[in-house]
């Protein structure tokens, strides 16, 4: 199966290192990391510039992979990326990354499911009733990394299939 091209969504400051760790797995192709300087430049352009940057980065991607850290859920731009991806017909999946070490060797606490904060159309349901959010098994950072490495590509394929059927 060819690698899917995916958009990674995550809370930048606390989880950038963890996101880089997941990107380095190579199970899927993803958007290139943005440097602090580039992101600061985009933010200076205001909401319209951020929305355009997100749209440009998502273009040509088949799935949005939300890397869920301790404070990812219900953030303005994470929610926007999830909704945009879903509305554009892309697969959407969550992977908890709180158990992966950051650059200082620290892990964080598990955050809330970001899909619990987003409604699904006019159904009264939350997107979490459809979209999966995986909590990698293992008791160490390496075991969780290994789980992600083994299961990420399949999670993306499943998310794309779920989106096709909903």
């Amino acid at each position: 199966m060819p690698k899917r091209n995916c958009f990674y969504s995550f809370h930048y400051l606390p989880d950038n290192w963890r996101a880089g760790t997941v990107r380095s797995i190579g199970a899927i192709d993803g958007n290139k990391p943005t440097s602090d300087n580039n992101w600061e430049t985009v933010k200076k352009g205001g909401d319209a510039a951020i929305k355009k940057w997100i749209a440009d980065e998502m273009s040509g991607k088949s799935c949005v992979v939300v890397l869920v850290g301790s404070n990812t859920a219900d953030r303005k731009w994470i929610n926007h990326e999830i909704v945009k991806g879903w509305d554009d017909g892309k697969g959407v999946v969550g992977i908890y990354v709180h158990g992966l070490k950051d650059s200082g060797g620290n892990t964080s606490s598990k955050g809330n499911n970001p899909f619990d904060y987003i409604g699904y159309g006019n159904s009264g349901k939350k997107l979490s009733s459809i979209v999966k959010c995986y909590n990698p098994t293992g008791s160490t950072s390496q075991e969780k990394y290994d789980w992600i490495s083994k299961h990420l590509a399949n999670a993306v394929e499943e998310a794309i299939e779920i989106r096709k059927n909903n």
Side-chain angles (χ1 to χ4, degrees), residues 69-166:
S70 58
N71 294 306
T72 304
D74 205 26
R75 296 189 63 80
K76 177 181 178 177
W77 295 113
I78 301 286
N79 289 353
H80 174 79
E81 291 164 349
I82 292 167
V83 170
K84 174 150 184 51
W86 184 265
D87 287 351
D88 288 354
K90 300 175 189 316
V92 178
V93 65
I95 306 286
Y96 283 99
V97 296
H98 64 283
L100 298 179
K101 290 182 179 177
D102 64 14
S103 60
N106 303 304
T107 59
S108 62
S109 59
K110 182 180 177 189
N112 294 329
N113 182 333
F115 310 120
D116 285 341
Y117 296 84
I118 298 171
Y120 176 59
N122 295 323
S123 68
K125 293 191 218 174
K126 297 295 181 188
L127 198 56
S128 58
S129 67
I130 300 164
V131 171
K132 295 191 176 183
C133 194
Y134 293 96
N135 189 13
T137 59
S139 57
T140 67
S141 179
Q142 184 62 52
E143 289 172 350
K144 289 179 181 291
Y145 176 87
D146 291 344
W147 186 96
I148 295 169
S149 180
K150 181 177 180 182
H151 297 285
L152 181 57
N154 289 334
V156 165
E157 290 302 320
E158 183 180 32
I160 291 167
E161 196 59 34
I162 286 170
R163 182 62 188 102
K164 283 181 186 173
N165 294 322
N166 286 284

Side-chain angles (χ1 to χ4, degrees), residues 36-51 53 77:
D36 291 341
N37 290 342
N38 287 346
W39 179 239
E40 289 305 317
T41 301
V42 170
K43 285 193 328 188
K44 285 179 185 174
D47 286 4
I50 295 171
K51 286 179 181 178
W53 180 85
W77 295 113

